[in-house]
Amino acid sequence: MRSRPRSAFLLPAVVLTVYMVYSLGPVLWIALSSIKGRQDLFTLPPRLIFTPDFAGYQAVFGVGAARDSAAAIGLSQALVNSIVVSVAGTLLATVLGTLAGYAASRFRFPGRDDFMFFALSTRMIPPTAVLVFYHVMYSRVGLSDTVGGLVLVTTFINLGLATWIMKGFFDGVPVEVEAIARINGYSRFWAFRRLVLPMVRGGIAATAGFCFIFAWNEYSFASILATTKANTLPVRLSSAMGATGIEWTQIFAAGMVLIVPVVVFFYLIRRHLLMGMTFGVLGKGGT
Amino acid sequence: MARDPGLPPRRLPRELSDRMLCGLFVLPTLGVLLVMVAYPFLSLLYYSTLSFSLLRPGQAPRAMGFGNYTMLLTDPALWERFVFTGKFVVLTVTVQMLLGILIAYFLQRDFRGRDIVFTLFMLPMMLCPIVVGFLWRYMFNSEWGIINVMMAAAGLGKLDWLGIADNALVAVVIADAWMWTPFVILLATAAFRGIPVNIREAARIDGASPAFVFFRVTLPLSAPILAIALLLRLIDAFKQYDLFFAMTGGGPGNETMTVSFELGKIAFRYFYTGLASALAVLMLVIIVGLAMVFVRRLTLAAEER
């Protein structure tokens, strides 16, 4: 390793530190504020040392004094719904998007560019614009307020994103990978599964991560399409906002609780997330 | 290319043709997208020519022709919404793309605790958007918000962040960039890591400066992913709703009202369903038009390489 001038380390260190303050300061602040009592929330100057008050969390979990809180999630049906909808929606969007992204990257099928553009344009539609029609459509086919209906809409909102991101990653894999496999007598599907997919697993992990975030936090569609039986955590928690003014501690506590599954999900996929692509098969890279 | 003796000989006699494989791969996605878009979009087009409200299903819709569109297009207030939305989109996306690429670049170097730092940097994106809005509203409070307290301590004086339109724009950009820079960091890092190390090594051994390697090797090779990140961020910023809802409520006055926010108001507060459909169509035409230009340039750039 060559030695480098000191400044080559100084600049990145300074930039990363400044960004860390910007990025993590508010995270720290929401964590602190979620355990502040009403009187400690609005003091001047803001207190760093205070007696923790877990009323917000009690309300979120519906225990103690806040047993009957409207926003309580506890181990409610909403928690189950949220998990089912996000996991199924993420899985479907990632699998379908990976397949479609591969096809769009490798095959010149008629209307390919139109298909890709169409896939992207589905993400451009503001939820408010199509909600009215989903509402009508869902009640006609009996999908209103069902977990299945929400899984469908969750898959849909992420499918365009998944297809595009995966196409980008497949574009980065040289076509020679499949060519060599086929010369050696393997099918294209075998090459796709055994050679190409492992190369883009960082991309698949990133895609699944994004899909899960969007699915888990999705509010607009769920709030209209799944109002009672199939409601999800964000919908349930939204009742903490507005009814009796802004319940700051409840909102912050809810934010802290809701982030946990996403962090767990990222922890589970972490090994794949930043896996560099290896072009060892070819001994060369790029397209 | 010669047969590579490293790979064992084929085992499967049966093989799917490329055409079948392609169909099997594309059709499920196409099916889901068609079902979820075709019907709503056609209804949207139809409704946009009517005057009616979802709240009064009994009342017969009145045909308007292009009446809803002329009403919208001749409303100067709506143009202000578009201009404001445009300002917001350009500002926030510029900040998060530059910052995201910069941070991803610096995170390439191996240092102790890098993976932990990287994971922590992803946190803002994981929070529930509406909670993020309330968090920043809390921190931007002009009296006891932590940001003004720190600014006062630094001798910069307090700012009325959310009460003045220009400040509110900056405040929402700070919040939006805070939340979504991680998206760019993640995609840029994945793209940078996808570049084979030996290409950069070769350039370095040839005596190229780090800046040269970055601008001539790293950036062009990761361009497909970065362009997709840019496109997705543009689209999502254009639709941004939660932050404005929680932070400014469109105020002061209507000065931080985005098109998306306006649409929500017309559709679900006033229930002018016909008018809302027309605005939704307008929004789609604009964003689809812009995206088409962008994607065409992207495709051309990709074919040139």
Side-chain angles (χ1 to χ4, degrees), chain A residues 152-206:
Chain A
L152 179 63
V153 85
T154 310
T155 306
F156 160 72
I157 57 171
N158 280 322
L159 199 44
L161 172 112
T163 306
W164 269 79
I165 295 180
M166 286 318 299
K167 176 181 183 289
F169 280 99
F170 285 124
D171 281 347
V173 177
V175 287
E176 286 89 346
V177 172
E178 288 104 312
I180 289 179
R182 302 188 84 179
I183 283 167
N184 286 279
Y186 288 89
S187 71
R188 180 184 276 277
F189 185 73
W190 187 90
F192 165 72
R193 249 196 63 168
R194 295 304 168 95
L195 302 177
V196 181
L197 272 190
M199 286 182 184
V200 297
R201 65 182 187 275
I204 296 175

Side-chain angles (χ1 to χ4, degrees), chain B residues 38-76:
Chain B
Y39 171 72
F41 186 70
L42 291 178
S43 320
L44 203 64
L45 276 180
Y46 172 61
Y47 286 4
S48 75
T49 63
L50 303 175
S51 166
F52 86 112
S53 169
L54 268 189
L55 279 189
R56 290 187 295 272
Q59 199 174 339
R62 194 158 46 84
M64 293 276 286
F66 290 100
N68 285 326
Y69 292 97
T70 31
M71 200 190 300
L72 287 170
L73 291 172
T74 52
D75 179 6

